[in-house]
Amino acid sequence: MTSTSIPPAELTVLSPHDGTPVGTLPCAGADEVRDAVATARAAALDWARTSPEERGRWVRAAADALADHAEEVAGLNTRETGKLPQEALGGVMAGVGTLHQYAELGPVHRGHSLRGHALASDYTVAEPRGVVAAITPWNDPVAVAAGLLGAALVTGNTVVHKPSERCPHTGARLGEILAGVLPEGVLVTVTGGPETGQILTEQAGLDVLAHVGSTATGVAIAHAALSTGAHVIRENGGNDPLVVDDDVDPVWAAEQAAIGAFTNAGQICTSVERVYVHRAIAEPFLEALAAEARRRNADQALAPLVDRRMREAVHAHVLHALEHGATALAGGTIPEGPGSHYPATVLSGCTEDLPVITEETFGPVAPVRIVDSFEEGLRWAAGGRYGLAATVLTGRIAHAQRAIAELPAGTVKVNNVFGGAPGGAAQPRRASGAGFGYGPELLDEMTQVKVVHVEMPPTP
Ligand code: NAD
């Protein structure tokens, strides 16, 4: 979208399980968005003046309120996006945990001080930026939103949240629950699709645009911020590689690849999107990975894709790969029946010119390329336009160290495909975004630093 489009009147969500309607919600237009920003702006001064300790108490109360409604919110998430019930509940509880974490960290968030000369002091004061627009995706909607909202609120910002059009009921209910225990106007939720999001990002009265979502949207939001001067935080798409060395157990490596590629049907920003396996263990690895996929398909253990639009995009990557020399060792075909299910798919014989390798597929697809050495795997893994995260499986310390030094990604994981910093701190690179979207560093992103210099007047 370049010029601002008019939002449709409402959003209807269809179940990814069977295509039946889940519900309909209105889309906020220009007037509602303007009002939402005005409400958050009006509440900003009092909230900024509230002591960090007290803000921590409010955020803790919001976390407790969410915990009280965890099953309900997780249920909505499952109905709207197809997320497996246990994983949806896990996502909500992760959100509760994150809100608690920020409630504790906010009051102890601090700056630096130094002494310019004997009778002077220099220090930094972290101030709230003002009003934050938080624009969030559907694939782990509560956990992701809770992080942005928790960090923004506890540091004294007010927030306008726009959840994804693919889970507006989940987002709206989350907003009701949190806002229900927070001071008036501190958190406002607007529902709608990209058009509503675009109208929001173009509002002059916003101080931060925090976006978690696709790279294309992140770039559009960064452009919008150039004219308003808002600070931008972007946590965007990934194309994470997995490099498998010749000294690891191929069956364990295949389990890791399967967890990385198939969890939440591959709809995780840090899903394994491409695999480089050493030729020496390629055969047993591929066999075990195909077995992992077939087992998931037989058990119907996989969540459906979020909708048919997503399924078409995933299948287009797979079909293109199959037409250009890849072989499907498992999956690769659209199943009959309602909903937007897609099987766990293993593709062998993939090369670097295929979109399934160069782009984020965001589905349960593991495209595999056989390499002649760990170094060759690292070289391919370091390529491409994304820089979210990467994993290597190796027993050799020298190989692990090379991977840590050479992979241009925000997070490098050795021997655990979903390892990561407690609290989730990570700084994506290149097309994967900019700034910290999680962890204690998000408190820095949500504040601006004022440098203060205090000196004695001359003595008479
Ligand atoms: P998306 O960018 O399409 O949508 C995310 C949000 O942006 C939604 O609320 C949407 O309405 C809004 N939006 C869309 N176009 C907009 C515009 N022009 N202006 C303003 N807002 C707009 O992303 P998605 O499809 O919902 O989510 C999947 C993507 O998110 C994947 O690429 C995934 O890797 C990424 N993701 C990244 C992380 C991370 O931490 N890096 C986490 C989760 C998801």
Side-chain angles (χ1 to χ4, degrees), residues 1 135-139 144 162-166 192-194 197-198 201 211-215 217 220-221 235-238 268-269 360 362 388 432 438:
M1 274 190 305
I135 302 173
T136 55
W138 50 270
N139 63 323
V144 166
K162 198 208 77 67
S164 169
E165 61 278 16
R166 279 162 157 156
Q198 189 182 359
T201 58
H211 172 248
V212 181
S214 67
T215 296
T217 304
I221 286 175
E235 306 302 311
N236 292 156
I268 299 177
C269 55
E360 183 183 52
F362 226 55
L388 194 60
S432 291
Y438 312 88

Side-chain angles (χ1 to χ4, degrees), residues 83 87 138-140 236-240 259-273 360-363 388 413 418:
K83 209 172 177 67
E87 289 176 16
W138 50 270
N139 63 323
D140 201 358
N236 292 156
N239 186 22
D240 290 7
I259 292 167
F262 305 145
T263 303
N264 202 29
Q267 302 168 114
I268 299 177
C269 55
T270 51
S271 289
V272 166
E273 291 276 338
E360 183 183 52
T361 299
F362 226 55
L388 194 60
K413 296 164 278 182
F418 281 142

Side-chain angles (χ1 to χ4, degrees), residues 383-405:
R385 68 189 185 110
Y386 295 94
L388 194 60
T391 306
V392 296
L393 305 180
T394 181
R396 297 190 180 92
I397 188 85
H399 283 181
Q401 292 292 12
R402 273 197 66 178
I404 294 163

Side-chain angles (χ1 to χ4, degrees), residues 12 21 29-30 32 154 159 210 226 235 251 259 288 335 374-375 378 388 410 423 458:
T12 297
E32 288 97 323
V154 83
V159 178
L226 285 177
E235 306 302 311
V251 173
I259 292 167
F374 185 78
E375 289 72 17
L378 269 196
L388 194 60

Side-chain angles (χ1 to χ4, degrees), residues 128-440:
R129 286 184 183 270
V131 182
V132 173
I135 302 173
T136 55
W138 50 270
N139 63 323
D140 201 358
V142 180
V144 166
L148 292 179
L149 270 46
L153 290 168
V154 83
T155 45
N157 302 280
T158 56
V159 178
V160 179
H161 178 212
K162 198 208 77 67
S164 169
E165 61 278 16
R166 279 162 157 156
C167 56
H169 296 86
T170 311
R173 189 68 188 115
L174 174 71
E176 272 170 17
I177 292 165
L178 302 184
V181 296
L182 290 166
E184 182 84 28
V186 157
L187 170 64
V188 189
T189 302
V190 289
T191 52
E195 302 84 1
T196 301
Q198 189 182 359
I199 293 171
L200 178 59
T201 58
E202 289 168 356
Q203 298 298 305
L206 292 169
D207 302 286
V208 178
L209 300 181
H211 172 248
V212 181
S214 67
T215 296
T217 304
V219 170
I221 286 175
H223 278 291
L226 285 177
S227 54
T228 65
H231 176 65
V232 178
I233 305 165
R234 289 192 296 120
E235 306 302 311
N236 292 156
N239 186 22
D240 290 7
L242 172 71
V243 183
V244 184
D245 209 349
D246 64 353
D247 67 333
V248 299
D249 172 5
V251 173
W252 168 74
E255 280 165 16
Q256 286 283 306
I259 292 167
F262 305 145
T263 303
N264 202 29
Q267 302 168 114
I268 299 177
C269 55
T270 51
S271 289
V272 166
E273 291 276 338
R274 51 196 170 122
V275 181
Y276 301 103
V277 60
H278 197 292
R279 188 175 298 283
I281 64 160
E283 203 181 313
F285 171 83
L286 280 167
E287 214 169 274
L289 181 55
E292 289 278 347
R294 282 194 293 266
R295 183 172 60 72
R296 283 168 170 79
N297 295 337
D299 295 351
Q300 300 186 328
L302 225 55
L305 293 174
V306 68
D307 56 23
R308 289 204 167 189
R309 179 158 62 93
M310 177 59 73
R311 183 164 82 172
E312 274 166 32
V314 169
H315 194 51
H317 276 190
V318 171
L319 277 187
H320 179 276
L322 294 176
E323 283 159 10
H324 290 81
T327 305
L329 301 182
T333 50
I334 291 186
E336 307 244 312
S340 45
H341 299 270
Y342 198 81
T345 296
V346 178
L347 300 175
S348 68
C350 292
T351 47
E352 279 326 282
D353 50 349
L354 303 176
V356 78
I357 289 278
T358 57
E359 285 303 319
E360 183 183 52
T361 299
F362 226 55
V365 182
V368 183
R369 176 174 189 155
I370 297 173
V371 292
D372 288 318
S373 64
F374 185 78
E375 289 72 17
E376 187 195 348
L378 269 196
R379 216 167 39 247
W380 292 124
R385 68 189 185 110
Y386 295 94
L388 194 60
T391 306
V392 296
L393 305 180
T394 181
R396 297 190 180 92
I397 188 85
H399 283 181
Q401 292 292 12
R402 273 197 66 178
I404 294 163
E406 292 176 17
L407 290 174
T411 303
V412 175
K413 296 164 278 182
V414 179
N415 294 328
N416 183 352
V417 77
F418 281 142
Q427 197 174 28
R429 298 183 182 186
R430 301 173 167 174
S432 291
F436 282 88
Y438 312 88

